[in-house]
Each structure stands twice: as structure tokens, then as C-alpha cells.
Amino acid sequence: METIKDNSFFYRRLHSLLGIIPLGLFILEHFFTNSFAMQGSTVFNDKIVFFATLPYLIVIEIVFIFIPLLIHGIYGLYIVYTGQANQIQQSYYRNWMYLIQRVTGVILLFYIGWHVWTTRLSALFYGKEVSFDMMHKMLASPLVFWWMLLGVVLVAFHFANGIWSFSIVWGITIGPKAQKRMGYFTMGLFVILAVVGVRALYAFL
Amino acid sequence: MTNTIRFKIKRQDSPDSSPYWQEFEIPYKAGHNVVSALMVIRETPVTRDGKKVKPVVWECNCMEEVCGACTMLINGEVKQSCSALIDDLDQPIVLEPMSKFPVVRDLMVDRNRMFENLKKSKAWVDIDGSWDIHEGAPRISQEEWDRTYIFSRCITCGSCLEVCPQFDKDNDFMGAQIIAQVYLKNTHPTGKFKSADRLHALMGKGGIAECGNAQNCVEVCPKEIPLTTAIGDVGRQVTFQVLKDWFGK
Ligand code: HEM
Ligand code: SF4
């Protein structure tokens, strides 16, 4: 019987899975937790303390966030490199989504790099305190505010549209009707996630 | 109403030489398609500016959109030139060879990669082994036939690959055409026996994982084959195959 001589299939499916578990789940948690900011600085700071005092925090962060992000991000760049967008010749809706998924992914690589540095690593290395107040000060700069707004909206899109293609890759949605319904569902999710994320961002102002 | 038909044709003398453009003009005649017009150009291969040139080379056989050989880019869209009617096209009509296959000469390309991939993915049905592998004719239910017959209409034209952002001259991706044929053969009562082999071929380099779900293929297939359905279904088959491979032994 034919055996498989190459690992590209495995990496591709790993990339796909990591986009949902754990990265997608993390984004849901992240948006939700940040929404506590809407209830004021004390409530939000309490949550920060809760997370900062989790046992095995560093292990959880490295295994469930950092490594998956690195693998998904770097392999994602490779995937972008292997494709040749052709929207000019083939201007179909799904072909545009294909391109946007890639563009958002690449921008997110920069965004998440910056975000992890400013709100996590600099705290870890230089003992900078992460709090409601810190976010409030950071977001006072319009440039930072709009950049973060962009990041929130893009990740909401990338994750939601990712669920759409994930469902085909793994064989959950097969026919065009199922895929269309999933399309409505994921775009709905995009809007909801974006609204939740942007509201949380506004709460820090 | 124009009384001539104008063409702008991308020409290339050999696989390695650089392409160049030439324009041709022939008298209008109702009912012309791109192939019949190319035949008129071949009779008197003279460009619009009066230069006598070598006749334009292209491929065609059936003249009824079932052989796939005359597929080319017509005004930028991938089409079979036999069924592309001149009256439906804006002029000058721009003809180019498909961009994802090696050019042999002028509008003629080498589509061999598709046939090689059919072999790689074992996209056929074994009707005999070292012993009979089925008794009598295999039975297919009407429902099954309704669902799968359309996949057998593939003419290996390459249109689905031409428009695919993941299919490229220099990579190994097999593309929608192969995935659809694997789907068809895996549903066949006798073809089923080799399902795991075909799925394993699609789990290797250039296999189904390379699909980016841009879904252009299904928009352009001249035989209206539900290619994205085959991709989803084979995606599911492959998911289960992975479970069998990893946890089944
Ligand atoms: C760090 C930068 C990132 C890059 C460069 C990136 C890149 C990509 C690319 C190129 C794809 C398309 C894969 C394909 O269609 O075959 C993709 C899919 C996906 N991404 Fe990302 N991504 C990044 C971050 C994220 C994040 C943070 C999440 C989670 C919220 C995520 C979730 C997903 C999901 C769920 C998919 C769909 C997987 C599939 O279609 O099988 N990505 N990513
Ligand atoms: S699947 Fe359709 S577009 Fe692709 S080769 Fe077959 S007939 Fe042509």
C-alpha cells in the first residue's frame, strides 16, 4: 500500500488545528476577559491579578499560546508564499476572502509581535506593570488606539473566516449549501467579535 | 456590426523562446467560433500589417467541448475555443496559451502533468487483479449515480487549475481535477478497494492539504463539476484516514 513520504500534509493540518485550538479559543477568552474593563479599573485589575497568579503560568503561556502562535504564524507565512493571488483575473467572492485571510494573517504577525512585546514581554523583562492604567495611558496616543483597533478587527476577521475554511479542510462542511451557511455564521461571528473587542478597547479610554 | 473579426494572438516559437504578439483580421462570417476562425487564419497566415508569418499552432480534436484540448485564455478567461462563439466576444479577441502549463508552441500547451497526477493518485478503477475482484457488474444505486455521474464528465481541460491561486508551474499541487477524480473512484463499488491508496497519495506532497479554498475552480469548470464538494468530501475521507492510520494499528 502507498505510504506517505512527506510531512507537508501533517504540518498543514497542524497549522489548521492550531488556528482553532488553542489560538481561536484563546482569542475568545482574551476578548472576554478584556471586556471586564467595561466595569472599571478595579474589576479589570482583579482579573489581571487572577491570571498573573495562575499556577504554571509560564508553561501555559509557552505551550498553549507562544509555540502555537509561532508555528501557525511562521507556517502561515510559508503558505502565503506558496500561493499566487489572482483577484484581477478571477474576481470571485471566495477568491477575495482567500486573499484577505492571507493579508490579515501577515499584518497580524506584526501586530501580535508588537502587542506581545508591549503588554507582556516588557513586563516580564523590565518589570513594567500591566494594568488598566497602563492601557489607559498607552491608548491616549491616537496612533496606538487606531493600530489596536485595526488589530482587534483583523484578528476577529482572520479567526472567523478561518473557521469557515477549517470546516472544509477537516470535512465538516462538504456541500455548497453547508459552506454558504457556514459563511453566514462566520461573518456573523466576525461582526460580534469585532464589536466585543472594540467595546473593550473603548473601555480603557 | 463589424464586417471583420480581429485577433491579438500571443505567439511563442518554442518552449524556451520568448513570447510575442501578432494581430490578425479575417472577414466576418456568422457562426464562427475561435477554432474555425483560427482555421481561416491558418489558410492565409498574414498579419494585419501584411506580414506573412508561420501559421498559428493550437490543439483541438472534438469540436464539441468534450476533449479539453483546445482550452486557452480567450480575452483573459479560460475557455474551450471550440465552444467560444465569436459573436459573444469583444474584439480584438485576445488569445493566449494557458499560463499554468508549459507552452509547446503558440497556443498549444503540455497538459501532461494532469495525466501524471491521475497516475500518481491511482485515479482509475482496477477491474481485475491476479483474480476476479468482483462478481458480475457492480451495482450503483440511482441516488449514488445522480450524485457521482457528473464527476465522470471531467475532460481534463485544466481550466480549474489555470484559475487556482495554489496551482503553479513550479509546485507539485495536484489541484481540483485530481481531487474530484479521487472522489469519483472512491465512491465506485469496485474502485473503493483502493480508497486508502488514493487518499494516501493525496496526503503526500502536492496533495489536498495544499488547497487554499479560494474556490475559483468550481466557478470556471466547463462541465459544472461540483469540485468544491469533492474537496470537502475528500477532506473528510482524509480526516478519517488519518485516524485509521494513527489509532487503528
Ligand atoms: C501570527 C500571524 C498569523 C499568520 C501569519 C497567519 C496566517 C494564516 C494563513 C496564511 C492562513 C490560511 C491557511 C489556508 O487557507 O490554507 C491562516 C488560517 C487560519 N488562521 Fe491564521 N495566521 C496568523 C494568526 C492567527 C491567529 C492569532 C489565529 C487565531 C485567532 C489564527 C487562526 C486561523 C485559523 C482558524 C485559520 C484557518 C485554518 C484552515 O483554513 O485550515 N491565525 N492563517
Ligand atoms: S474538473 Fe472541470 S475544469 Fe477541471 S479539468 Fe475537469 S473539466 Fe476541466
Side-chain angles (χ1 to χ4, degrees):
Chain A
M1 202 159 78
E2 192 84 19
T3 50
I4 306 152
K5 298 157 203 101
D6 157 286
N7 292 325
S8 60
F9 175 80
F10 171 78
Y11 289 132
R12 194 66 177 244
R13 283 277 166 116
L14 180 68
H15 172 268
S16 173
L17 188 63
L18 291 178
I20 306 283
I21 306 167
L23 296 178
L25 296 181
F26 171 73
I27 290 298
L28 293 178
E29 179 274 314
H30 196 47
F31 277 36
F32 188 71
T33 308
N34 287 345
S35 299
F36 280 111
M38 295 190 299
Q39 292 166 20
S41 63
T42 335
V43 177
F44 180 77
N45 286 339
D46 279 353
K47 302 302 160 199
I48 298 261
V49 171
F50 169 76
F51 280 101
T53 53
L54 284 177
Y56 305 112
L57 178 63
I58 283 288
V59 179
I60 294 172
E61 281 180 320
I62 291 180
V63 174
F64 291 103
I65 304 176
F66 195 66
I67 295 179
L69 197 57
L70 222 54
I71 298 178
H72 183 90
I74 293 172
Y75 201 74
L77 275 189
Y78 169 73
I79 293 174
V80 173
Y81 168 76
T82 61
Q84 290 177 313
N86 57 1
Q87 275 60 37
I88 313 284
Q89 302 93 317
Q90 315 298 334
S91 192
Y92 303 111
Y93 170 67
R94 270 293 144 206
N95 202 24
W96 280 105
M97 297 301 253
Y98 166 94
L99 179 65
I100 300 172
Q101 184 71 5
R102 279 149 182 75
V103 171
T104 53
V106 174
I107 300 176
L108 282 174
L109 198 61
F110 291 99
Y111 176 78
I112 295 172
W114 170 84
H115 182 50
V116 169
W117 173 255
T118 51
T119 58
R120 183 71 187 100
L121 292 184
S122 56
L124 198 64
F125 296 154
Y126 303 122
K128 207 169 145 204
E129 197 199 0
V130 179
S131 65
F132 187 96
D133 213 40
M134 171 204 142
M135 289 309 295
H136 176 72
K137 283 195 188 112
M138 247 175 80
L139 288 167
S141 145
L143 193 69
V144 172
F145 175 77
W146 286 106
W147 173 230
M148 292 201 82
L149 190 101
L150 181 77
V152 165
V153 173
L154 293 193
V155 83
F157 178 88
H158 187 89
F159 173 47
N161 190 51
I163 295 175
W164 181 83
S165 56
F166 174 91
S167 307
I168 298 176
V169 168
W170 293 83
I172 297 164
T173 49
I174 291 183
K177 276 197 194 131
Q179 291 172 6
K180 199 164 210 147
R181 259 183 262 133
M182 186 56 94
Y184 293 132
F185 170 75
T186 52
M187 281 307 101
L189 182 69
F190 161 51
V191 173
I192 291 169
L193 267 183
V195 169
V196 169
V198 170
R199 286 187 76 200
L201 203 57
Y202 264 99
F204 287 107
L205 291 183
Chain B
M1 189 83 216
T2 47
N3 48 7
T4 60
I5 307 167
R6 275 178 58 194
F7 283 97
K8 194 165 171 244
I9 301 179
K10 194 176 189 181
R11 308 207 49 180
Q12 184 171 331
D13 296 339
S14 70
D16 305 316
S17 62
S18 2
Y20 55 93
W21 291 91
Q22 278 177 348
E23 289 193 36
F24 297 89
E25 192 162 6
I26 63 168
Y28 178 83
K29 209 170 95 186
H32 257 316
N33 59 45
V34 170
V35 168
S36 65
L38 280 170
M39 286 170 168
V40 173
I41 294 177
R42 183 168 62 188
E43 281 168 23
T44 35
V46 177
T47 62
R48 275 188 84 213
D49 35 350
K51 207 167 90 190
K52 197 166 176 335
V53 293
K54 296 195 189 82
V56 179
V57 174
W58 81 98
E59 234 183 348
C60 69
N61 296 303
C62 71
M63 292 297 275
E64 53 181 359
E65 207 190 77
V66 292
C67 78
C70 68
T71 307
M72 59 181 72
L73 295 179
I74 299 171
N75 287 345
E77 285 176 43
V78 65
K79 284 196 172 101
Q80 284 64 53
S81 34
C82 61
S83 53
L85 303 179
I86 298 295
D87 290 336
D88 299 338
L89 298 168
D90 289 336
Q91 293 193 27
I93 298 163
V94 180
L95 302 183
E96 295 164 82
M98 278 196 283
S99 66
K100 301 285 179 82
F101 298 92
V103 173
V104 176
R105 187 166 172 174
D106 295 340
L107 302 170
M108 179 181 175
V109 295
D110 180 357
R111 286 158 35 253
N112 194 40
R113 176 167 166 188
M114 277 190 280
F115 302 100
E116 288 304 320
N117 286 339
L118 283 169
K119 287 194 247 168
K120 259 195 233 164
S121 59
K122 298 193 170 38
W124 63 79
V125 172
D126 284 311
I127 53 162
D128 221 347
S130 39
W131 62 90
D132 262 358
I133 56 177
H134 63 75
E135 289 175 36
R139 312 299 298 171
I140 295 176
S141 73
Q142 190 60 42
E143 289 78 13
E144 179 97 343
W145 187 89
D146 279 346
R147 207 175 56 237
T148 58
Y149 173 71
I150 196 163
F151 290 90
S152 70
R153 303 202 313 174
C154 175
I155 58 176
T156 326
C157 64
S159 304
C160 52
L161 308 176
E162 174 67 22
V163 296
C164 174
Q166 295 290 113
F167 185 94
D168 178 25
K169 259 185 188 163
D170 323 299
N171 68 13
D172 309 290
F173 185 36
M174 299 197 229
Q177 167 242 354
I178 290 296
I179 297 169
Q181 291 313 301
V182 165
Y183 170 80
L184 174 66
K185 272 70 180 190
N186 279 7
T187 59
H188 187 275
T190 312
K192 271 195 181 104
F193 298 155
K194 282 270 192 296
S195 288
D197 272 358
R198 295 190 199 99
L199 295 178
H200 281 156
L202 283 188
M203 287 153 72
K205 208 163 168 44
I208 189 168
E210 238 109 303
C211 171
N213 293 301
Q215 303 202 329
N216 293 338
C217 52
V218 76
E219 302 279 354
V220 301
C221 175
K223 298 292 133 183
E224 291 166 359
I225 298 175
L227 293 163
T228 48
T229 307
I231 292 169
D233 197 281
V234 174
R236 180 180 289 182
Q237 293 181 36
V238 157
T239 301
F240 283 112
Q241 190 61 43
V242 171
L243 294 176
K244 278 185 214 159
D245 291 350
W246 283 22
F247 301 112
K249 54 188 169 199

